Amino acid sequence: MKQISDNFIKDAIQYLASAKNIVLLSHKNPDGDALGSGLALYQYFKEKKISVNFVLPNQLPDYLDWMPNVQNVITYNTQKELALKVISQTDLIIMVDFNHSSRLDKMAEIVLESKAPKIMIDHHPYPESISDILYSRVSASSTAEMVFEFITAINNGEKLSKEIAECLFLGIVTDTGSFSYNSSNPFTFEVVSELLKSGIDKDFVIDKVYNNHSHSRLRLLGYCLNDNMKVLPELSTAYIYLSQADLEKYNFEPGDTEGFVNYPLSIKGIVFSAIFIEKDGYTKCSFRSKGKFPANKVSGDHFNGGGHLNAAGGESKASLKDTIDKFERVLPEYSNFLNE
Ligand code: 5GP
Ligand code: MN
C-alpha cells in the first residue's frame, strides 16, 4: 500500500545526486519522532558515506540520550557557530517533523535565507511553503513512518539497517503512544513489520522510552496530578500546571514532563486536556483531545501554536496564572465540539 509519490522520489533523488553535504533539521524541543526521523536519515547517509549533519534548535530530552548518533547532533542554542557553519556550507537541507519555520525558533531566519535546496517530510496539517519539494501526509502515524517510505524508496527497496529501523520504530512508538492513537491505518503496521524484520529489539526501545526516568520525575508527576490538576466536568476538560518552583523542587530535567498532558484524558468523560508549564519568560502549553475536539484550533486561536487535531502545543508570553485564566475564559468557545 504505497503512499509516497513517484514524483517526490524522482525529484528527491535528483537533489540527492548532487548533494555532497547534507543538513538535517527538526523542531524545537524535539520529541521521539523528530529525533527518530532525523537520526534515521543521519544513519542512512552515514552508511552511504555522504557527509551529513543534524542540527536542532535546542537540547534533546535526557531520556532519549541512548539513541544511535545522538552525540553527533548539533544544537543551535549551545553550538551556534558550528550550526551556522554547517548550514552555510550545505548543498541540501532535509527538514523532518515540522512544517512551519517558527518551529525552528532562532534558526528560522538563517534556514530560510539559505540558498540550498530544501526537502520537507512531515505529517502536520497546513504546511507552510518553505521547501522546494514536500512530502506531506496528515494521515501518517508519524514522520518516522514517512521517512521509512522515503529511505526505502531511495535505497531501491533494500532492507534497512538495524540502527535506522530502531530510530524509525522509536518515532512511531512515541507519536502513537505505543499504538494507542494515530495508528488505525494498516499501513503503519506494515511499516512496523518491516522494521521488525530489520532485527530491532522492540522491547528494548519501549523500555528505554517508558522506563528510563529519574525517581524525581515520577514524584513530580504524582505531585502535579494530586495538587495541580483542575477538572472542569461541565466542559469535559481537565488541566494541570507546573511553576518553575515546582520544577526546581523535583530536579526537573528536559523531557521530564513529556507525556504528563495525557493523564487527565484518562478521567471518564474528559475529552480535552492541557498542561501549562512556567518557563523563563513564557508559558509552554500542550493540549491533547479525543474524537473531534480540535486541540490544534484552541492552540492556534489563542496560544500561538498548532499541531494535530488531537495533539497540539503552543506558547504564551503571559504568566502561568494569566495563561490559565485565559484558557478557562476561552474554553466555552469550543463547547459546540463537545456534542459532536
Ligand atoms: P507537545 O505537546 O508534545 O509539545 O506537542 C504536541 C504536538 O503539537 C507536536 O507534535 C506539534 O505538532 C505541536 N506543537 C507543539 N508545540 C508547538 C508550537 O509551539 N507550535 C506549533 N505550531 N505546534 C506545536
Ligand atoms: Mn511527529
Side-chain angles (χ1 to χ4, degrees):
M1 230 190 322
K2 194 157 91 61
Q3 312 270 340
I4 197 165
S5 84
D6 291 339
N7 273 344
F8 178 83
I9 293 298
K10 197 170 97 250
D11 292 345
I13 287 175
Q14 250 175 25
Y15 283 122
L16 286 166
S18 50
K20 296 209 165 46
N21 287 294
I22 297 176
V23 163
L24 308 169
L25 300 174
S26 194
H27 62 79
K28 184 183 166 189
N29 303 327
D31 56 7
D33 193 29
L35 269 184
S37 299
L39 289 173
L41 285 164
Y42 184 95
Q43 175 69 24
Y44 174 76
F45 291 121
K46 205 170 99 172
E47 288 171 15
K48 296 288 169 193
K49 311 228 173 331
I50 297 170
S51 162
V52 60
N53 285 287
F54 183 13
V55 186
L56 286 168
N58 66 352
Q59 210 171 341
L60 18 134
D62 285 6
Y63 78 100
L64 294 173
D65 64 2
W66 53 273
M67 291 182 70
N69 301 307
V70 274
Q71 69 285 359
N72 299 331
V73 174
I74 299 169
T75 46
Y76 185 81
N77 65 334
T78 59
Q79 297 165 281
K80 188 171 170 185
E81 298 287 301
L82 183 59
L84 290 174
K85 185 170 153 224
V86 301
I87 292 171
S88 71
Q89 289 175 353
T90 188
D91 41 30
L92 180 64
I93 291 177
I94 305 181
M95 304 183 270
V96 290
D97 200 39
F98 70 97
N99 65 13
H100 205 278
S101 58
S102 63
R103 303 284 282 144
L104 289 169
D105 202 30
K106 299 194 175 71
M107 278 164 52
E109 204 172 302
I110 52 157
V111 172
L112 293 179
E113 278 169 6
S114 163
K115 297 273 183 301
K118 299 180 187 73
I119 296 176
M120 176 175 271
I121 303 175
D122 177 65
H123 67 139
H124 295 94
Y126 318 119
E128 191 187 20
S129 168
I130 52 172
S131 61
D132 295 272
I133 59 167
L134 167 69
Y135 175 30
S136 165
R137 181 159 67 84
V138 178
S139 70
S141 67
S142 53
T143 300
E145 176 180 317
M146 302 165 72
V147 170
F148 169 85
E149 299 176 80
F150 177 66
I151 298 182
T152 304
I154 60 174
N155 199 29
N156 298 316
E158 274 180 44
K159 200 164 78 185
L160 307 183
S161 70
K162 185 176 165 214
E163 287 77 13
I164 296 176
E166 191 169 81
C167 294
L168 295 176
F169 182 69
L170 174 103
I172 298 175
V173 164
T174 52
D175 256 28
T176 61
S178 295
F179 306 101
S180 42
Y181 39 81
N182 296 341
S183 46
S184 299
N185 187 338
F187 182 71
T188 302
F189 290 87
E190 288 176 29
V191 172
V192 170
S193 167
E194 292 305 314
L195 297 177
L196 289 168
K197 286 180 205 161
S198 287
I200 57 166
D201 185 343
K202 161 187 146 316
D203 298 347
F204 168 84
V205 175
I206 298 219
D207 193 50
K208 284 289 190 192
V209 171
Y210 294 104
N211 308 325
N212 188 26
H213 300 290
S214 64
H215 66 91
S216 51
R217 186 245 183 202
L218 200 59
R219 293 189 197 283
L220 176 66
L221 173 63
Y223 161 76
C224 72
L225 293 179
N226 196 53
D227 289 24
N228 289 3
M229 180 172 74
K230 188 157 173 193
V231 184
L232 306 167
E234 67 288 0
L235 293 166
S236 303
T237 296
Y239 67 86
I240 46 188
Y241 53 92
L242 286 165
S243 68
Q244 281 204 351
D246 295 333
L247 297 177
E248 275 162 32
K249 185 169 170 210
Y250 289 92
N251 305 317
F252 172 80
E253 300 283 350
D256 275 359
T257 52
E258 188 81 38
F260 282 17
V261 63
N262 293 305
Y263 284 91
L265 277 188
S266 65
I267 304 169
K268 189 173 176 182
I270 296 300
V271 301
F272 188 40
S273 71
I275 185 169
F276 301 98
I277 304 173
E278 186 179 34
K279 301 272 178 185
D280 225 358
Y282 70 101
T283 302
K284 164 76 186 145
C285 317
S286 285
F287 306 98
R288 297 292 184 271
S289 67
K290 286 186 192 169
K292 294 197 174 134
F293 195 94
N296 54 358
K297 183 162 165 55
V298 178
S299 188
D301 289 350
H302 299 288
F303 300 97
N304 307 304
H308 311 275
L309 183 71
N310 296 135
E315 282 177 16
S316 155
K317 291 261 163 16
S319 68
L320 181 62
K321 181 176 181 309
D322 290 352
T323 304
I324 292 172
D325 287 349
K326 178 176 178 179
F327 179 68
E328 289 211 19
R329 207 170 51 243
V330 302
L331 256 185
E333 287 173 27
Y334 302 90
S335 297
N336 56 315
F337 292 102
L338 295 174
N339 308 319
E340 289 196 11

